[in-house]
Amino acid sequence: MKIVSIESYVLTDKLKESFYFSQWGYSERKICIVKITSDSGHIGWGEGYGPAGVIKAGIEHITPFILGQNPLETETIWGIMYRRTLDFARRGVLMSAVSAIDVALWDLKGKVLNLPVYQLLGGKKREYILPYATGLYFANGNGENLSKELAEEAASYVALGYKAMKMKVGLGIDKDIAYVKCIREAIGPDVKLMIDANHAYNLREAISLAKAVEEYDISWFEEPISPEYYDQYAELRNKTSIPIAGGECEYLRFGFQTLLKSNSVDIVQPDICATGGLTEAKRIATLASVYGVELVPHTWGTGIAIAAAAHFITNLDTIPGRLNSAECMMEHDRTENGLRDQLTSTNMTIKNGYLELTDEPGLGIFINEDALIKFSSCDKGKRTIDTIR
Ligand code: MG
């Protein structure tokens, strides 16, 4: 079996309403996805996390090295991509291109073998995953009604059945404390609440905020400080009872080794579509297990990335093992995203707040061809039935 084509698409969706986080605002969603076809007619879909146009260029750069390879040999192909990009991609967006191709190959392999990706990864370790809602951004930047809007949004996630959610902090310590209090009051004591600063703070500020919100039962404080300051993360961990999370800006098992060796985090958060795909994420999970550190992937983007995370988490080992193991969480972005909502359909379901996978082959997603054409402005003449699966 051979790879006969690798096609990438940049998808763009203008948002009806911009949203903001601790660094800047977004007015559109832009994502690069990739379609890989084998000479047997099977198709796999992947996605890269990061600047879509650059990822597309990266995929085009890598394509000649892997055309003609056997798509079932995911690890062999990963090795080729790694060695061909090693001098330029130990960190950064070219690794997202590698990740997109790797995810597509796992999807394709599952379809060829008629098995779900979680079985190819080694099997099902749990029946259910606990998705947590990501949202609670700073709508309209810093509006007067933000407290009310955040409380209403948080309550809407509870009404949808979510048992956990993550909010943004990073507007300034005093404002953050007020918004955390307001959301905790809106959701009550039984729903898990995490905070994410997107590295808005220095060490002193992060310690102040962490100590001030400890009373609101925060399940983790994500990216409190810039990801380069490993030692400061370690110091923060020693000064708060809130678990510290990070790693969405980290790449490859080598990057995670630095993070883990420095005792910087309680929870590592590799993004499968950036850190090296499913092949490398599995190695990172093994490495995290060596250090006894929990792993909850950073998950963003379309249904392709969400499905990749769901299959990965289904296969993830819980450390430590025990009779009643802790639930494994999965990030579930709830902010406006037409690409996420319209590009794919899936038989995955969320019931009573828990996500349940099906045993559809590959990633178990179906591509909506009309949405692909609409968001990528691709040539309608290229429309073929094989883009559906
Ligand atoms: Mg984050």
Side-chain angles (χ1 to χ4, degrees), residues 166 168 196-198 222-223 248 269 298 331:
K166 187 168 78 189
K168 291 294 165 187
D196 181 357
N198 293 109
E222 180 171 322
E223 286 203 306
E248 69 183 73
Q269 301 174 300
H298 173 261
E331 180 163 25

Side-chain angles (χ1 to χ4, degrees), residues 21 49 132 134 137 166 168 195-199 220 222-223 245-249 269 298-300 331:
F21 68 125
Y49 171 64
Y132 73 82
T134 287
Y137 281 69
K166 187 168 78 189
K168 291 294 165 187
I195 60 173
D196 181 357
N198 293 109
H199 47 81
W220 75 62
E222 180 171 322
E223 286 203 306
E248 69 183 73
C249 304
Q269 301 174 300
H298 173 261
T299 308
W300 200 245
E331 180 163 25

Side-chain angles (χ1 to χ4, degrees), residues 16-33:
K16 292 188 199 82
E17 204 173 309
S18 296
F19 67 84
Y20 297 79
F21 68 125
S22 72
Q23 308 292 322
W24 49 79
Y26 280 106
S27 59
E28 66 178 16
R29 297 282 202 157
K30 221 173 175 96
I31 297 175
C32 179
I33 65 166

Side-chain angles (χ1 to χ4, degrees), residues 126-177:
R126 59 196 45 80
E127 295 295 328
Y128 303 100
I129 296 169
L130 182 67
Y132 73 82
T134 287
L136 305 163
Y137 281 69
F138 313 137
N140 303 316
N142 193 2
E144 283 177 16
N145 293 324
L146 191 53
S147 289
K148 185 166 171 281
E149 289 166 14
L150 290 173
E152 285 172 1
E153 185 183 341
S156 75
Y157 297 141
V158 176
L160 284 168
Y162 285 99
K163 300 177 190 303
M165 67 186 71
K166 187 168 78 189
M167 64 178 289
K168 291 294 165 187
V169 291
L171 272 179
I173 308 283
D174 291 343
K175 284 181 179 168
D176 288 344
I177 296 167

